[in-house]
Each structure stands twice: as structure tokens, then as C-alpha cells.
Amino acid sequence: MKTNGSSSGYYLGLDTSCYTTSVALADAEGSIIQDCRRVLAVEKGARGLRQSEALFQHLQNLPELVERVAPYRPLHGVAFSARPRPVEGSYLPVFVAGANFARVIAATAGVPLLASTHQEGHIRAALAGSGLASEAFFGLHLSGGTTELLAIRRKAGGFAIKLLGGTSDLHAGQMVDRVGVAMGLPFPAGPSLEALAEKAQGRLRLPVAVEGLSVSFSGPTSAALRLWEKKAEPAELARAVLDCLVETVFLLLKAGVETGEPGCHEVLLFGGVASNAYLRRELTARAAGLPRGLKVYFGENRLSSDNAVGLALLAREALTAKTGEGGRSHGQ
């Protein structure tokens, strides 16, 4: 038995998203003791996995990851991603793997079980170390499965989330991956596309499709693929994709600011696409010019992609709030 970090006990988070199996452990003070992940294997040239394939890989990965955190005792609670987003009808089969493991662990240990969502875990993980302390803020969720602008308000043990806008077709990460894979880059293509873009001069432009709080990436993606078929220079095309992404997200954010959402004067970016350094740099500069001088916050790079850290922290905060033992610290 281990009591490293805290003899007061631990809180476990599990997340089984489309492309990462994640298990994390937080102690009673909110420090992350374990952050264990396994990225799902995708064959070269493929643009993703079928849900059945991803679910099978999660079932293979979870025992080993759970074994890494099992020695830490006592366990006080478990949180898991029950579904992608906290809205009615949100469902993906991959989350069943983490849900079932979480239920067994909680029942065996005789501790409370918190059903959360992948999106809420992302928000909480990105907040850790971001410096954002406001009770209300905008959220931009950018990933391969979600592109949403949100109004977020903190509440005990979680968040109240209001959907403001987002994509009408492809997601931000899908555009990046479809173009990147067509160019022969490994999946997920974001890191490779970013490395190429930094070498470009910015000679190519893609169309931007934004109408108020609705954006579209299908047209820009098709335009990028046509340019690739015409032998576009790889670095220039990579930069054109990222420039299109930056402009699209900026215009969506601008429309969100214009709604005058109460209390929202800052924005937190999260999701795998939000770890892109090019996007971070360019969007931060653009957002500063908005009428309200919107400040942009990002989570740490390692906490922007899929992980269970946010769920472990949510378990701690939700369960300690019920017992009055403590809770969230602002900005964490």
C-alpha cells in the first residue's frame, strides 16, 4: 500500500475517449499523483477508428493502467466520463469501458461514484495551472470530436455549461487530420502539421466559413484537399490550414463576445487542438484586439489533450463539497 503525496486518501478519474485511455489519481490536497495514458493505435493512412475497435483497445489498456494506481490507499471516490458532453442524447460506446471499470472499482472499494463527462473533465484539467480564476468565462472546446463555444460557470464540484455556437459539420480536429493524413502525415496530424506550418511564408489561403455563431470546416477541408491534389507545397498548405482554423475560431469567439453573455470576459481553450502552439500564439494576438480586450487562457499542453486528470480533480471537489472537507481553489 502507498500513501505517497497524502496519507489522507486519493480520488480516481477514468476517461476512455475516442483515442486515449486515461487514468489519473489526485490526493486530498488536489495534487496529481498519477497521470497514466495510452493513446489508441491507428493504422498508418487511416483517419481514425471505428467505435468497436476503440472500445476493444480500451478494454485491453485499462487493466494495466488501473494496476499502476491500485496500490494507493485509501481511495475516497471515483469519477468517470459517462458520455462526451453534459447534454441529453450525448453518447459514444467507447465511454462504456471506463464507466464499467469505474463502477467495479467504486463498488469494490465501497466509495462514492461520480458520473461526469469528457467535456467537463477537459475543462477542469485545462483550468489547472491556467491562472483563470473567474467564476464565469467562455470556453472553446476544440478537438477531433467537438468544436463548441460555451458559456461556463463554476458550481460546486463541476460546471454549468451553456452551448452558444459551434460547427455545423466537421470539427476542427477532423479538418486537421483529414488534410494531414492526405499529405502522408501520421494520425493525429496536428503536431506534424504545426511543425510544417512554422516553415511557411503564408502564400496560400483557404476560405473561411463563419455565419454568426455557426462555423463550417467542410468547405475549407475540401479546398485544402484540392490544393494538395494540385501539388501545393506541404509547408504552405499546412500553414493555410492552421490560418483558416485561427480565423474561424476567432470569428466564432468574436460573435460570442457580441452576445454579451453575463460575466464572461475571458476565454479558456481546451481539447487536443488547443495544444497547438501556432493556434495559441495567433489567437491570443487576435483576441487582444476585440472590443472587450478578451484575455485567452490555455491549460498546460499535456492537460489540453484527452486525459483523466480533470475527472480526478472533479471527484475530489464534488465529494469533499458534500462532506464539507474542502474544495476547489480558484485558478486550479
Side-chain angles (χ1 to χ4, degrees):
M1 183 177 74
K2 297 184 180 181
T3 56
N4 316 37
S6 172
S7 58
S8 301
Y10 303 91
Y11 298 86
L12 178 67
L14 296 94
D15 184 68
T16 49
S17 66
C18 286
Y19 296 108
T20 306
T21 313
S22 309
V23 174
L25 202 69
D27 67 14
E29 285 71 47
S31 298
I32 299 302
I33 305 303
Q34 288 286 324
D35 177 7
C36 309
R37 311 180 199 180
R38 179 76 58 81
V39 177
L40 305 188
V42 178
E43 289 186 8
K44 185 176 181 180
R47 299 188 304 192
L49 295 169
R50 290 192 295 269
Q51 284 287 302
S52 58
E53 295 171 330
L55 180 61
F56 180 71
Q57 289 195 43
H58 283 311
L59 294 173
Q60 290 182 306
N61 295 340
L62 276 168
E64 178 185 339
L65 299 186
V66 170
E67 285 171 353
R68 295 185 195 177
V69 301
Y72 291 82
R73 309 286 176 84
L75 185 65
H76 286 324
V78 181
F80 67 97
S81 294
R83 49 188 176 155
R85 296 154 52 235
V87 297
E88 186 176 353
S90 180
Y91 171 77
L92 282 176
V94 284
F95 291 103
V96 173
N100 286 348
F101 266 74
R103 290 174 60 189
V104 170
I105 293 169
T108 303
V111 298
L113 181 66
L114 174 68
S116 187
T117 67
H118 180 69
Q119 187 171 72
E120 290 170 287
H122 258 311
I123 295 168
R124 185 60 187 88
L127 282 171
S130 70
L132 197 164
S134 301
E135 290 297 319
F137 50 93
F138 289 112
L140 268 174
H141 187 170
L142 303 175
S143 69
T146 308
T147 300
E148 292 183 342
L149 176 64
L150 311 166
I152 303 171
R153 186 172 296 275
R154 302 187 198 235
K155 65 178 184 179
F159 307 97
I161 300 173
K162 175 183 176 183
L163 176 63
L164 298 177
T167 182
S168 60
D169 42 53
L170 296 181
H171 297 292
Q174 287 179 306
M175 177 177 73
V176 169
D177 289 330
R178 290 190 181 191
V179 178
V181 169
M183 294 170 63
L185 302 176
F187 180 94
S192 300
L193 210 68
E194 178 186 335
L196 278 173
E198 295 291 358
K199 304 173 184 178
Q201 301 298 313
R203 292 191 289 263
L204 292 179
R205 286 288 182 270
L206 293 175
V208 174
V210 180
E211 186 173 344
L213 290 164
S214 178
V215 306
S216 169
F217 288 114
S218 63
T221 299
S222 296
L225 293 174
R226 287 194 296 270
L227 286 172
W228 180 245
E229 290 174 356
K230 295 178 181 178
K231 310 301 181 184
E233 202 280 318
E236 295 297 335
L237 182 56
R239 177 164 172 175
V241 169
L242 295 187
D243 283 341
C244 174
L245 176 60
V246 170
E247 181 67 12
T248 300
V249 169
F250 169 75
L251 292 175
L252 176 60
L253 185 55
K254 182 174 182 289
V257 171
E258 291 170 352
T259 66
E261 190 65 30
C264 293
H265 306 291
E266 298 160 310
V267 60
L268 177 73
L269 265 70
F270 55 94
V273 178
S275 64
N276 186 288
Y278 188 93
L279 170 71
R280 290 182 176 220
R281 182 179 69 241
E282 297 299 320
L283 187 61
T284 298
R286 296 291 304 278
L290 288 172
R292 291 159 66 178
L294 198 71
K295 187 171 182 181
V296 183
Y297 291 84
F298 302 91
E300 298 176 24
N301 267 351
R302 68 183 185 87
L303 296 180
S304 291
S305 56
D306 290 357
N307 64 83
V309 168
L311 292 161
L313 294 173
L314 285 174
R316 169 187 172 267
E317 291 157 5
L319 298 175
T320 56
K322 289 181 180 179
T323 60
E325 295 175 355
R328 160 184 62 80
S329 298
H330 281 247
Q332 293 188 335

